[in-house]
Amino acid sequence: MLMSEEAPVIVCAPDSFKGSAGAPAAAAALARGAAQAFPSARITQLPFADGGEGTLEALLTVWGTPARTVDVVDALGRPTTARYGLSADGRTAVIEAAQANGLPQVSDVPLEPERAGTYGVGLIASRVLEEGVDEILLCIGGSASTDGGTGIVTALGARFTDAAGEPIPPGGGGLASLSAIDDSGLDPRARAVRWRIAVDVDNPLTGPRGAAAVFGPQKGADAPAVERLDAGLTHVAEVLAGSAAEAESMAATPGFGAAGGIPLALTALLGAEVVPGSTMVAEAVGLSQSLADADLVLTGEGSFDSQSLGGKVVAAVRDHAPASASIIVVAGRVALTPAECREAGITAALSIAPGPADLSELSAQAEDLIESTAAHACALVAAGHQQAGHQPKGH
């Protein structure tokens, strides 16, 4: 209870404010603001993420472990360096695929959507396996590739060959020439570990909502390229499945269209699980345990809108919080009405914008604005419950 004789329990569990403040910085800012109103509170910082950009940073902060680096290649096969992380006990690894196949890494050259591949991601995974982990958390957003994950398993020892027995070209453009898959050379450790692939979309592998049609244009694919990439993914599914019915089912699976179809090869050849990103991160950071005794929960993100309530960070925090806790969202932009917030189980949502300002101005001051907004919100909570003389109502 916030206003009991005991110190109130406050948990600060935000997502990153994209382009303004990472989740760890946002959590620290929320905590500073909360401490102004509740100096005796027990405040926990729990940076959170939905499995996309920023997940590596958030997990490393919660785990208290440093990032590790490995030499890999980018989506076009050029040398680069990637970061990955290990849990404190060394049993779980987190990989952000975009460290090796992300669009930013190839933004210095014209995009090549049919040549871009995921081989570099497989090189990170190979290093992680050398660490002796039991589980790999693979975050796959922001990719430049559409190769169905074939590059990843190629780096781990599988062979994708054409009718002449030669390796098919890297990237999605070569998938149509696939004739056979030889997985006898796969690193046995790759099959022994548990793979969980974090997705934040429900797009199927192929078709009008598939990986190529929806995300291909963002990666530089014109209409003919989209058609070729879609056909290539369809063909790989057919070769992997062994039957038309199974291939059709595989291609229609929600989430398989994420990051150029990365789940396709990894589920078929490595037994990977596809899970909502926020669910995966919640388990990895122990969200339920951290929120169990919370009286007040502060969360937030760059833009709080209807999409925030569909499997994103705010929704996960709300779902794991105790019914007795008040939940306050601090965001760069709030697009929901007070009534919509109440209906969604959110006590209140406040924008950090102090007045008319453009995005660059807000970004430059993001951490200070998050802190001051949290301080205002918590001051209102404290004042309200001092006057009412009772514990906060549940959300």
Side-chain angles (χ1 to χ4, degrees):
M1 287 180 276
L2 277 175
M3 301 315 300
S4 70
E5 294 181 359
E6 298 179 1
V9 177
I10 302 175
V11 178
C12 302
D15 194 356
S16 63
F17 285 58
K18 298 291 190 294
S20 302
L30 290 173
R32 292 193 300 271
Q36 293 179 39
F38 297 105
S40 65
R42 176 157 62 88
I43 302 175
T44 299
Q45 297 178 34
L46 192 71
F48 202 59
D50 61 7
E53 179 188 358
T55 301
L56 174 63
E57 181 185 18
L59 288 181
L60 289 175
T61 300
V62 174
W63 287 341
T65 58
R68 303 190 179 207
T69 60
V70 57
D71 292 331
V72 296
V73 295
D74 66 17
L76 298 178
R78 303 177 302 174
T80 189
T81 301
R83 300 162 71 239
Y84 65 94
L86 297 181
S87 59
D89 62 7
R91 310 316 301 172
T92 301
V94 58
I95 297 173
E96 278 190 6
Q99 290 277 321
N101 79 322
L103 276 168
Q105 281 76 10
V106 294
S107 62
D108 61 317
V109 295
L111 294 175
E112 297 189 58
E114 295 182 79
R115 189 164 77 86
T118 57
Y119 190 86
V121 184
L123 294 179
I124 306 175
S126 182
R127 168 61 65 85
V128 160
L129 292 174
E130 294 175 5
E131 303 275 12
V133 302
D134 298 322
E135 179 178 30
I136 295 175
L137 310 179
L138 180 61
C139 308
I140 60 175
S143 75
S145 56
T146 312
D147 72 352
T150 54
I152 295 175
V153 288
T154 296
L156 294 172
R159 296 185 73 244
F160 294 80
T161 56
D162 59 21
E166 295 298 319
I168 63 173
L175 298 181
S177 64
L178 177 66
S179 178
I181 300 172
D182 179 5
D183 62 357
S184 62
L186 262 176
D187 187 331
R189 298 172 299 183
R191 282 187 164 137
V193 300
R194 180 187 186 191
W195 291 79
R196 285 198 287 169
I197 304 174
V199 300
D200 62 358
V201 299
D202 62 359
N203 300 73
L205 181 70
T206 59
R209 292 189 62 248
V214 175
F215 306 112
Q218 302 170 11
K219 305 172 186 184
D222 57 16
V226 165
E227 186 174 342
R228 289 190 293 270
L229 291 169
D230 189 72
L233 291 172
T234 299
H235 180 59
V236 174
E238 291 170 349
V239 176
L240 283 168
S243 71
E246 188 178 348
E248 186 175 341
S249 174
M250 188 180 292
T253 302
F256 268 41
I262 279 179
L264 175 63
L266 273 68
T267 55
L269 297 176
L270 302 177
E273 308 165 48
V274 175
V275 297
S278 59
T279 300
M280 185 190 79
V281 178
E283 293 180 13
V285 302
L287 183 63
S288 292
Q289 301 92 312
S290 297
L291 293 176
D293 300 323
D295 298 303
L296 174 62
V297 179
L298 300 177
T299 184
E301 60 185 343
S303 178
F304 179 54
D305 52 34
S306 59
Q307 293 186 10
S308 305
L309 305 174
K312 300 292 186 178
V313 165
V314 171
V317 170
R318 174 202 60 193
D319 293 345
H320 287 79
S324 59
S326 296
I327 300 177
I328 294 177
V329 175
V330 174
R333 168 179 172 268
V334 174
L336 297 181
T337 66
E340 289 171 327
C341 288
R342 286 195 299 272
E343 185 178 348
I346 302 299
T347 307
L350 296 88
S351 169
I352 65 172
D358 60 31
L359 182 58
S360 62
E361 292 174 325
L362 292 176
S363 296
Q365 307 173 60
E367 292 179 37
D368 289 340
L369 292 172
I370 293 168
E371 178 182 344
S372 62
T373 305
H376 282 302
C378 290
L380 287 171
V381 171
H385 293 294
Q386 282 177 334
Q387 293 175 3
H390 59 64
Q391 70 184 69
K393 293 180 180 179
H395 61 274

